[in-house]
Amino acid sequence: MGGSFSKTDRLSTKFRVRIYMVMAMFAAVYVAIGVRLVMLGNMERPNKTNAAVPPSVARPDIVDRNNITLAMDVESRSVYAEPRRIIDVDEAAEGLTSVFPDLDMVDIHKRLASDSGFTWIKRGITLAEKDRLWGFGIPGVGIRDETRRLYPNGPAAAHVLGSVNIDNAGIAGIERWVDQQGLQDLRSAGLNLSRRNLEPIVLSLDLRVQYALSDELRKAVTRFDAIAGAGLVMDVTNGEVLALVSLPDFDPNIPADALKPDRINRVSVGTYEMGSTFKAMTTAMALDSGVFNIHSVLDASQPLRFGRFSINDYRGQGRPLFVPEAFIYSSNIAMARMAMGVGVEKHKAFLRSLGQFDRLVTELPENAQPIIPSNWSELSTATIAFGHGMAVTPLQASMAIGAIVNGGRLIRPTFIKSTPVEKRILATDVVTPQTGESVRFLMRLNAEVGSAKKADVAGYFIGGKTGTSEKVVNGAYSGDRVLTAFMGIVPADKPRYLFLTILDEPKGLPETSGFRTSGWNAVPVTGTIMARVLPFLPIAPQKERPANPFPTMVRIAAWGSERFQPIPPEPTLPALQTVAAPSKAAAE
C-alpha cells in the first residue's frame, strides 16, 4: 500500500510541475506582450503628422555693438489639424471659422475632409484665440507652441538683419547667415533650444549711427525727389560697418515686403558706375606707378578723341592741370591721360588688387559680381579712369578707397563686431605710404577748395571725393538721369571712418540753380550726416586743424600744400625761478 501511495504522489507532483511550467510560460508571454504594448504606446506614430511639422527652433538674439536688441524671439502658437482624426468635418470647419472668421470655409472644409496626416490651419494666433479654440474641444485639431521673430526697431537696419520665414528660418541677411553657421543643422536635428541656450549675435552696427544715416537719407530722397538712396559708415582701420542704409527699405516684421523689386540692398547687391569717386583710385594708381608724381602736369586743354567718341570735362578749365588741380576740378581728360599713361594691363592689375574684379563676400549672403568690359580696350581704360564703363557694388568701392587711405591694407568689410582683422586682410601695401598721404591730401584739399566744400563740418578734419555718373537707359547714357555719390573720410590726415552717400536720379532744385550733380546734393547731405553722427564716435572735435597733417606734401611743395604748413608750437614763458630766503645763519 505504501508503494502505491508513493507512486501516486510522484505522478501528482509531476503533474503539478507541468501545470506550473505552462502557467509560467503563459505569464512570460503576457508580460512580453505587455512590455511591447507599453513600448509601442510610447513610440511616435509612424504617420506623416510628425514629419510634416517643422521643428520650432529658437534663434539667437541679434544686438548692435552697444547691446541694443535688433532681433529677438517671442512666444507664439499655431493651430494645426490631422484630417484623418477628424470625426465630424462640418462641425470642425464651423468651429474653426467661428474662432478665425478670416479663414475660408470652403478651403478649410476641403482640407479637413482630405486624407492627409497634417495641415496648418493658422499660424501665430493670440492667447484669446487659443483659449476660445480649446473651448470647442475639436478632435483632431491641436495647438503648437512656437517662437516668432520680432524686430523691435521696425525697418532699422533691415537690409543687414534680413528676415525669417513663417517657420522662423532665416531667408536673408544676417538671419540667413546665422542659419548657415550651424543653426539650420540644429533645426534639422530637431533640437528644441531656447534663447537661453544661444549667445547673442553682436553686430558691428551702431543703432544711433544707423538711425541718423537713415533719417537724413530719407529727407534727402524726399527733398531731391530721388527714386532711391543708399549710404554706409565704415571703420577703415578694421572694416567694421557701423551703418548701412538702402532706400526704399522694408520692415522685417513683414518679410513679404522684402520681395518687392525696389527693396534690394543697393550697397552690397546693386552694381553702379561710381563716377568720379573712381578718380581717387585712378590718381592713386598713377602716383604709385612712378609714371606720374604730384608735380605732373596733364594737358586738359582739349577733349580726348577716340574716333567719333570724345572725352570732355564737366567743369573744364581749358588748360594744363597739375595733378591736385585735376583732382579738385575732377577732370575726366586728365584722369584718362593718367590711366592711359600707366597702360591698360597695369590699370586692370591695380583695380584687381583693390578687389574690384571679384564678387565681394561678407556675412551678408546677398552680393553681386562686378560688371567688367569683356573686351577691355584703351577706350575702356580711359572711361573707367573717371568711373564710367565698369560697375561695382558701393561696398566694394568703399573697401578700395578705405585701403588707399588706411595705409594700404585691403580689408574685407564685416558686419560682426570684433571679427579678427588679420583673417580679413585681402592684400597689404596696395599703395605706398607716400601715395596714401597724397590721396588723403587731395581729398582734404577738395573739401577746402573743391567740390566737397559743402561737406566740411566745423571741428573735424574732413576729406572727400564727389561722383556724378550718367545712368545707362536702353543701352545708352542718359543726360537726364544721374547717380550722385560722395565718399568722405575723417579725419583726413589719419582716417578712421568712411562715409558714403548715394542718391539715385536726384532732381535739380531752385536753390541748387537747377544743378543735380553730387556737389549740390550728396555732398551737403553727407555733411549733415557727419554732423549728426561724429559726436557718437570716438573722434573729439578740435578747435584747430592738425599741426602737420601732410608732411611729405608740404616738404615737396605740392600744389595747394601751402594751406597745410606746420603750425608752429605756441611759445612758452620761461619758468619762474623761486629764490629761497636766506637762512638765519647766512644773514648773520
Side-chain angles (χ1 to χ4, degrees):
M1 236 178 115
S4 175
F5 175 81
S6 175
K7 183 177 180 181
T8 304
D9 187 59
R10 287 196 301 271
L11 290 173
S12 177
T13 301
K14 290 181 180 180
F15 182 73
R16 286 198 300 270
V17 169
R18 290 175 180 175
I19 292 174
Y20 291 150
M21 289 178 62
V22 171
M23 291 175 63
M25 291 175 61
F26 275 105
V29 170
Y30 280 114
V31 168
I33 292 173
V35 170
R36 182 59 178 166
L37 288 174
V38 171
M39 292 176 61
L40 291 173
N42 289 329
M43 290 178 62
E44 294 183 340
R45 287 172 297 163
N47 57 32
K48 297 180 181 180
T49 300
N50 292 308
V53 182
S56 182
V57 177
R59 305 184 65 80
D61 287 0
I62 301 177
V63 300
D64 84 335
R65 66 188 305 112
N66 300 310
N67 290 317
I68 298 175
T69 301
L70 302 177
M72 61 184 291
D73 279 351
V74 294
E75 292 182 359
S76 181
R77 55 213 60 84
S78 296
V79 181
Y80 67 90
E82 298 174 277
R84 294 173 186 170
R85 298 180 58 195
I86 298 293
I87 297 174
D88 189 327
V89 173
D90 294 334
E91 182 181 8
E94 184 177 346
L96 288 170
T97 53
S98 66
V99 178
F100 308 112
D102 57 321
L103 297 180
D104 182 83
M105 171 66 85
V106 175
D107 176 66
I108 289 296
H109 193 281
K110 180 179 179 181
R111 285 194 283 146
L112 295 181
S114 71
D115 193 38
S116 65
F118 177 90
T119 183
W120 285 116
I121 299 299
K122 189 173 179 64
R123 307 299 294 271
I125 67 171
T126 66
L127 281 172
E129 290 172 330
K130 173 184 176 182
D131 293 340
R132 190 177 175 202
L133 182 62
W134 274 128
F136 278 86
I138 306 172
V141 173
I143 297 176
R144 178 185 176 86
D145 291 330
E146 296 185 310
T147 55
R148 179 173 62 86
R149 204 61 164 166
L150 175 68
Y151 302 89
N153 299 287
H159 283 98
V160 176
L161 293 171
S163 56
V164 299
N165 62 17
I166 191 67
D167 293 319
N168 222 29
I171 56 176
I174 291 295
E175 294 282 26
R176 184 179 174 193
W177 175 79
V178 169
D179 281 7
Q180 294 171 343
Q181 300 310 298
L183 186 63
Q184 184 59 42
D185 294 335
L186 297 178
R187 185 184 188 88
S188 300
L191 294 182
N192 192 16
L193 302 174
S194 69
R195 291 175 63 193
R196 294 185 297 273
N197 304 128
L198 300 168
E199 288 292 327
I201 305 297
V202 183
L203 300 187
S204 59
L205 299 185
D206 186 319
L207 186 59
R208 302 168 302 174
V209 179
Q210 180 74 29
Y211 178 80
L213 176 61
S214 176
D215 187 45
E216 294 301 332
L217 274 175
R218 288 180 198 280
K219 294 176 183 176
V221 168
T222 300
R223 180 187 176 196
F224 295 102
D225 194 22
I227 64 172
L232 67 82
V233 180
M234 183 174 71
D235 188 331
V236 299
T237 67
N238 58 22
E240 290 188 359
V241 176
L242 276 70
L244 182 151
V245 175
S246 180
L247 302 177
D249 56 6
F250 62 94
D251 187 342
N253 293 300
I254 312 173
D257 288 349
L259 302 177
K260 296 178 180 178
D262 63 343
R263 300 308 201 263
I264 66 166
N265 184 344
R266 288 171 167 78
V267 178
S268 67
V269 176
T271 54
Y272 305 98
E273 296 184 357
M274 293 298 293
S276 295
T277 58
F278 250 50
K279 291 174 182 175
M281 299 186 213
T282 301
T283 304
M285 175 189 66
L287 297 177
D288 217 54
S289 69
V291 178
F292 300 90
N293 59 54
I294 202 73
H295 300 296
S296 295
V297 177
L298 293 310
D299 184 8
S301 58
Q302 298 292 330
L304 276 179
R305 299 195 179 280
F306 293 83
R308 294 179 298 174
F309 184 80
S310 64
I311 295 175
N312 299 277
D313 283 344
Y314 176 70
R315 293 184 297 155
Q317 302 300 300
R319 61 177 175 82
L321 302 172
F322 286 106
V323 168
E325 292 182 292
F327 192 89
I328 64 171
Y329 292 130
S330 203
S331 170
N332 296 338
I333 299 171
M335 294 295 156
R337 288 193 182 280
M338 283 196 290
M340 290 190 299
V342 172
V344 170
E345 293 307 317
K346 289 184 178 179
H347 186 202
K348 292 165 64 176
F350 184 78
L351 292 177
R352 183 179 287 108
S353 73
L354 290 177
Q356 302 303 287
F357 274 43
D358 303 312
R359 184 188 296 269
L360 177 57
V361 177
T362 67
E363 294 88 359
L364 297 187
E366 301 81 22
N367 50 51
Q369 183 74 27
I371 302 174
I372 302 168
S374 56
N375 181 24
W376 192 303
S377 63
E378 187 177 48
L379 176 59
S380 301
T381 276
T383 59
I384 291 171
F386 55 87
H388 282 69
M390 176 178 177
V392 300
T393 67
L395 186 60
Q396 247 179 322
S398 299
M399 176 183 69
I401 299 300
I404 292 171
V405 302
N406 73 4
R409 296 196 306 169
L410 186 70
I411 305 173
R412 187 176 72 246
T414 183
F415 295 87
I416 306 298
K417 183 182 178 182
S418 302
T419 304
V421 177
E422 296 304 318
K423 295 181 179 180
R424 292 183 289 108
I425 295 178
L426 304 178
T428 57
D429 302 322
V430 294
V431 293
T432 64
Q434 180 167 324
T435 295
E437 181 185 321
S438 300
V439 175
R440 296 193 296 270
F441 157 71
L442 294 174
M443 293 179 83
R444 176 58 196 175
L445 190 64
N446 196 38
E448 292 200 4
V449 299
S451 58
K453 287 186 292 186
K454 289 184 173 63
D456 210 8
V457 178
Y460 296 95
F461 201 57
I462 289 168
K465 185 68 189 81
T466 55
T468 303
S469 59
E470 295 179 345
K471 294 180 66 175
V472 177
V473 180
N474 297 325
Y477 287 104
S478 169
D480 298 327
R481 301 182 185 180
V482 297
L483 183 89
T484 63
F486 178 68
M487 283 194 190
I489 57 172
V490 59
D493 58 325
K494 295 178 180 178
R496 175 72 185 273
Y497 298 105
L498 181 146
F499 289 73
L500 169 67
T501 298
I502 294 175
L503 293 175
D504 195 350
E505 296 188 21
K507 310 301 187 295
L509 306 176
E511 56 266 38
T512 68
S513 301
F515 294 112
R516 57 179 180 272
T517 51
S518 175
W520 293 98
N521 45 62
V523 172
V525 170
T526 307
T528 305
I529 292 169
M530 287 180 170
R532 286 187 61 175
V533 165
L534 288 173
F536 299 144
L537 304 179
I539 301 179
Q542 303 293 327
K543 292 182 179 179
E544 297 182 351
R545 69 165 173 81
N548 190 18
F550 308 113
T552 304
M553 296 297 99
V554 171
R555 179 175 55 81
I556 64 178
W559 188 96
S561 62
E562 66 279 358
R563 304 179 68 90
F564 307 107
Q565 290 293 332
I567 299 175
E570 294 183 2
T572 57
L573 296 175
L576 296 176
Q577 296 185 0
T578 304
V579 180
S583 65
K584 182 178 180 181
E588 293 176 350

